[in-house]
Amino acid sequence: MRVMGTSYGCRLGLGSLALVAVVLASAPARAEVSAETAFVFNTFSFLVHGFLVMWMAAGFAMLESGLVRTKNTATICLKNIALYSVAGIMYYLVGYNLMYIDVGSYFGSFSFLYNTSAEELALLNADEATPEMVDAVVAGGYSVMSDWFFQMVFVATAASIVSGTLAERIKFWPFMIFTVILTGFLYPIQGSWSWGAGWLSEAGFSDFAGSTIVHSVGGWAALTGAVILGARKGKYGPDGSVHPMPGANLPLATLGTFILWFGWFGFNGGSQLALGSAADAAAIAIVYVNTNLAACAGVVVAMILTQLIYKKIDLTMALNGAIAGLVSITAGPDVQNHLMALFVGGVGGALVVFAIPLMDKLKVDDVVGAVSAHLVAGIWGTLAVALSADSFFEQFVAQIKGIVAVGVFMVVTSAIVWLVLKYTIGLRVDEEAEEMGLDKAELGMEAYPEFGHGSQSI
Amino acid sequence: MRVMGTSYGCRLGLGSLALVAVVLASAPARAEVSAETAFVFNTFSFLVHGFLVMWMAAGFAMLESGLVRTKNTATICLKNIALYSVAGIMYYLVGYNLMYIDVGSYFGSFSFLYNTSAEELALLNADEATPEMVDAVVAGGYSVMSDWFFQMVFVATAASIVSGTLAERIKFWPFMIFTVILTGFLYPIQGSWSWGAGWLSEAGFSDFAGSTIVHSVGGWAALTGAVILGARKGKYGPDGSVHPMPGANLPLATLGTFILWFGWFGFNGGSQLALGSAADAAAIAIVYVNTNLAACAGVVVAMILTQLIYKKIDLTMALNGAIAGLVSITAGPDVQNHLMALFVGGVGGALVVFAIPLMDKLKVDDVVGAVSAHLVAGIWGTLAVALSADSFFEQFVAQIKGIVAVGVFMVVTSAIVWLVLKYTIGLRVDEEAEEMGLDKAELGMEAYPEFGHGSQSI
Amino acid sequence: MRVMGTSYGCRLGLGSLALVAVVLASAPARAEVSAETAFVFNTFSFLVHGFLVMWMAAGFAMLESGLVRTKNTATICLKNIALYSVAGIMYYLVGYNLMYIDVGSYFGSFSFLYNTSAEELALLNADEATPEMVDAVVAGGYSVMSDWFFQMVFVATAASIVSGTLAERIKFWPFMIFTVILTGFLYPIQGSWSWGAGWLSEAGFSDFAGSTIVHSVGGWAALTGAVILGARKGKYGPDGSVHPMPGANLPLATLGTFILWFGWFGFNGGSQLALGSAADAAAIAIVYVNTNLAACAGVVVAMILTQLIYKKIDLTMALNGAIAGLVSITAGPDVQNHLMALFVGGVGGALVVFAIPLMDKLKVDDVVGAVSAHLVAGIWGTLAVALSADSFFEQFVAQIKGIVAVGVFMVVTSAIVWLVLKYTIGLRVDEEAEEMGLDKAELGMEAYPEFGHGSQSI
């Protein structure tokens, strides 16, 4: 039960905590939410918001499918369903315990492997449930496995970010090995510092739904990988020119972005971690609205800026504007008023317009723009929390601490893993395979065998 | 608080209102829903059903992406994500206040811009919540911003309808300016007449989830635009012949239709505006079933009719049959029994089979059939409410009033906006751009750069 | 009311039943869920989980669209939206009554056609609701039509399984006639044996969400059809060689699989049939987690096996691994601990890797692998329930009974229907039409008119 208690306390708003206490302590004298009703609401919130976040895995799959070339499309589809699967297993076997119990006591805590909490099992297996059995379960606040489900889809999101950046040249199995380590160890360790009630949360670091803890983590891993892996062949000319390699299926990229936007209501809304009181319900409503406003602003600002700078609007920039707006608001959708949400999301949209060409200048080849949308906007969003804090300066310092700590940890550990893979089994397909496309080289198939020239086209 | 009160009273079924009153007035002597529990249910219903309706934006994007030609596909994707974004911002800045407060007192009511309701803010920001603070929030029935979220996705739906009809020849920025005016002003003003407790609701006009208020509004704006904009070059021969310009990606159009169907459970189900009682839950269940049955009937009738008339079934006609069935039931999914829902949806499916070729005879070039599916079926569905009324004739007259009032208002105001745009910055791309495709001309990119002949193909 | 009572009792876990009884019998002395609150939760669970399952119809449509060739794509899209529509109407007119009342008394029970339960109608139509009216409704446990909605989407799933296997050569209208009979009669009759509280449930057969009752039923119908219909022309050479006919759009197939996975949380989660207590909420959470773990294991095992056997990973095999994992866990996501869920899903993933080539050896031409993923894995999953039973042997025998009874019934009745269709109006398009593709032959259109060589390509 310690696991939930910790997580519950850590990611829960203050107003909610007070209310839950009231509910748990007293008989329903007023027309309030009963403790068991609150338990059902809290659990159902994790499940509903969790399935929305699970659906984001499809969003990344479609976004990336749309933005790679046809000759690498089947491979990116495979990577996306494979990484979600690996994340689910690793976070069950290792990650959740590591994140929400603690790193030190970890190796004695395999008990949950047998099943969910002892109290819930006792209730579910009882021939006749007693009020005491129900009370023991209800005291937990929500069902343990609903929390596990909700936390699991977050680690999958972090892993999804990596696949897009490194597309079109990374080998399949080394990528999967990195995913195993990211989802089983790297993500949970840094997550334990904040959401696991560790030193970063004690230092005042605040990241409501994971601008840093999820999106920057994926972004740092992707950036480190992109640097070590190198750019796609022919992407950057010796004269500094950038050779565009346009995505093969932009409606799919659009669909993917809409899926992410849709799923983000679960990502941010569910991170209230409770629905069992009027305060929690109202807080979630505010989170939904801020999430939507920030994404809207990201799109509009990205569109206007590209029109002003390039005299044309780039669809993929508008899509990345939406994602950047969403990432930006993720650290503080609860604390910001609605105009602030528009501002935070709009700045996110602007950042992505400048970050994507900047990455190309630095010859960091990010196939889908994920580093710009998830890492750059994630840093901005984390800092922006300070704008709504009681003490701007104090919060700003705490936010910097979190950003730097997570960044250093992720860059160092990711680099080690990427480099070990590079110098052992190899990280990159050979030139011939890259030219031919990973679909034929690694999978022996084509994503669109009847369309156009298939893998010969570019 | 007046805003919610108004909206709550206006769009809520009578049975529900009575129950809410009971719940709010008494301590829980019976095993009923407590007031705070009802608040959570009502708020969560807005959020869950709201995210389903938000997802309809992706449905329109896919439907339209599938039904335009490849050379205009990236542009229609961009328009769809852009219009959703603009709708979200405009309805926040202007529309919601205009619709649910009132037009006259509007210019003094910017206070909500700072944030949500004062009562909710007080509760959320309190160090220690008092029962009085909770009661003050609970008295509102639901969280203000959950209602805003739910209403916002409706205006986005209305705007989505317009983009499909006018595809393949309208300029991007003039379309966006129209969207600003539609979502910030036109939709909210007519919406205030009925859902805002205005003169149309007093006149007895009944439109549960918006056959007229949402779908016909989009349909009228689209129709007016199509007439002013003119047909695509080559669509109609001088001899009255119709040149088919088939959609480039029918699986995407199918996906879009499924998304719309899925989202419609939110559109109609959430329009009960409450979930906090057995009566509300039962009413929503009936709404879901009627929504589904009407869509099923729309598909089946459209299929059988096209088989009988054309000896072949047209997939796009079946898809439009589903949409027409859904639009038809939207005005009265709560009042009709299930056989009536089959009838209403089936007639909707039949109407679309006749309306689409009729539009072509009138040389109104509607790229995706949105006027037939949303306006024609919307009028039918609004009239059909009278079939289930206590007094058919009285209700029929009220429905006619609403249809005519909204129609006249939308045609006149849309025409003014379209004409002003036409004679100032211009509404239509030049012939060369239309020939080349909007993707290359306006965006400088291709949606499917590797497939077939790309923009040269037709 | 008998209908619900029956269904409620039959598919509800034991712990839940006990709790519901407590809730209904007593005033809220403890801080428990009130009876009316439980009613709202139960109803909302049916609706939310039901809309997730409805969305699976889109998943099948995309999966099958991606796995057929371009020349048959529009037809498979049409079949998928048509079969969902027919299922919805037939299950309303005939199926639900047949399944949940009983076959014998069926012909006198058309009363529900007029509308939902009398108690709910009385409440909804009352000018002033009395507490007695509310209590009468609440005593049902949930809204009747929410249960209908949830059961209806299951029959649609069974029908969806058939269309993929028989793609690319079956005529449209005979397929629709089979769908009418399957959804109106065959599925409900066998469903009445178990979920309708019939002889199979009395025999101890346990199938939580339908590994046998839904997935094998679709699988048997598909297998029988495939045998009677014969393979696609050119699929199997006279020398025993297998000519691959690769799917035209693998990102759509990937999307379809993600949709199915997403929808499966509704399929299995909602099959708890209640959410109105802590025990039900906890049970649903466990079901979600087991569902996800089984699918993850299915993917990972299918990937590793194909790598080991074929030295390459086949994307479509990984997708079918996910589906097989999901089908496998469907019979017992509630009773198994999480490691068991990994095992059950992993075996499902392995089975599909061997079953798909085996089907080809038997010259059973299953275009999308549905028989392997839904029937083979469905049988395995149903048997696996015995692994978690109190008495393995007793449960195993009961499971065998159910599998055999449903299998024999479905093969015999399906065969009769397929054969009658074959020897009357004909089941298969002629050779020329098959060569040309069903889209041109039966629909007179192309799914992707601008891509590649369209229907001439393969």
Side-chain angles (χ1 to χ4, degrees), chain C residues 33-384:
Chain C
V33 180
S34 81
E36 187 172 358
T37 299
F39 179 96
V40 176
F41 274 130
N42 295 339
T43 299
F44 199 49
S45 174
F46 278 136
L47 296 178
V48 169
H49 290 120
F51 70 61
L52 288 183
V53 182
M54 176 272 162
W55 181 229
M56 291 171 70
F60 284 105
M62 291 303 103
L63 179 68
E64 297 172 15
S65 294
L67 292 181
V68 301
R69 290 168 293 171
T70 54
K71 64 184 179 184
N72 298 308
T73 304
T75 305
I76 205 73
C77 288
L78 179 63
K79 275 176 193 157
N80 272 279
I81 198 161
L83 72 84
Y84 179 81
S85 301
V86 163
I89 294 174
M90 288 308 296
Y91 201 67
Y92 170 67
L93 293 179
V94 185
Y96 184 79
N97 261 13
L98 203 53
M99 186 156 164
Y100 286 109
I101 297 188
D102 73 70
V103 181
S105 76
Y106 172 66
F107 291 101
S109 52
F110 272 109
S111 64
F112 87 103
L113 275 181
Y114 296 105
N115 218 316
T116 184
S117 81
E119 290 81 2
E120 292 183 36
L121 280 185
L123 175 63
L124 292 172
N125 292 325
D127 287 336
E128 201 169 338
T130 65
E132 288 72 30
M133 294 169 76
V134 176
D135 288 347
V137 165
V138 166
Y142 48 77
S143 167
V144 183
M145 294 319 288
S146 71
D147 177 60
W148 182 86
F149 179 69
F150 188 69
Q151 304 296 341
M152 176 272 297
V153 289
F154 276 63
V155 68
T157 301
S160 293
I161 293 164
V162 184
S163 60
T165 297
L166 307 180
E168 306 207 315
R169 74 272 203 202
I170 195 168
K171 279 188 194 169
F172 181 79
W173 286 109
F175 173 76
M176 292 316 301
I177 293 171
F178 183 85
T179 303
V180 165
I181 295 166
L182 175 67
T183 60
F185 302 94
L186 305 187
Y187 173 89
I189 287 173
Q190 63 82 31
S192 74
W193 299 345
S194 40
W195 291 346
W199 69 275
L200 265 179
S201 72
E202 282 164 26
F205 177 63
S206 171
D207 187 3
F208 186 75
S211 284
T212 286
I213 298 166
V214 181
H215 292 279
S216 293
V217 160
W220 288 119
L223 175 62
T224 311
V227 169
I228 290 171
L229 194 59
R232 287 168 290 176
K233 208 184 141 211
K235 175 71 184 172
Y236 303 114
D239 56 346
S241 66
V242 178
H243 176 62
M245 296 174 167
N249 197 329
L250 297 191
L252 284 193
T254 306
L255 175 65
T257 305
F258 270 116
I259 294 175
L260 292 177
W261 193 328
F262 178 60
W264 228 288
F265 296 112
F267 202 92
N268 287 359
S271 291
Q272 178 68 14
L273 304 184
L275 175 68
S277 70
D280 285 315
I284 294 177
I286 288 172
V287 167
Y288 269 58
V289 170
N290 283 340
T291 300
N292 197 70
L293 286 173
C296 293
V299 170
V300 169
V301 168
M303 287 200 314
I304 291 174
L305 276 180
T306 50
Q307 176 71 38
L308 293 177
I309 298 172
Y310 303 107
K311 312 296 171 208
K312 304 224 169 189
I313 309 169
D314 187 299
L315 169 61
T316 62
M317 209 57 105
L319 301 180
N320 270 317
I323 297 170
L326 290 162
V327 170
S328 300
I329 199 64
T330 293
D334 57 328
V335 292
Q336 284 145 347
N337 73 32
H338 308 311
L339 284 180
M340 182 64 89
L342 282 172
F343 173 72
V344 169
V347 171
L351 284 172
V352 93
V353 170
F354 297 110
I356 285 178
L358 179 67
M359 297 290 290
D360 271 338
K361 260 186 202 147
L362 299 172
K363 301 199 177 180
V364 175
D365 186 11
D366 179 357
V367 177
V368 303
V371 173
S372 302
H374 294 275
L375 175 56
V376 176
I379 292 172
W380 154 243
T382 306
L383 293 174

Side-chain angles (χ1 to χ4, degrees), chain B residues 397-408:
Chain B
V397 170
Q399 300 304 88
I400 292 277
K401 271 187 206 167
I403 291 166
V404 171
V406 170
V408 169

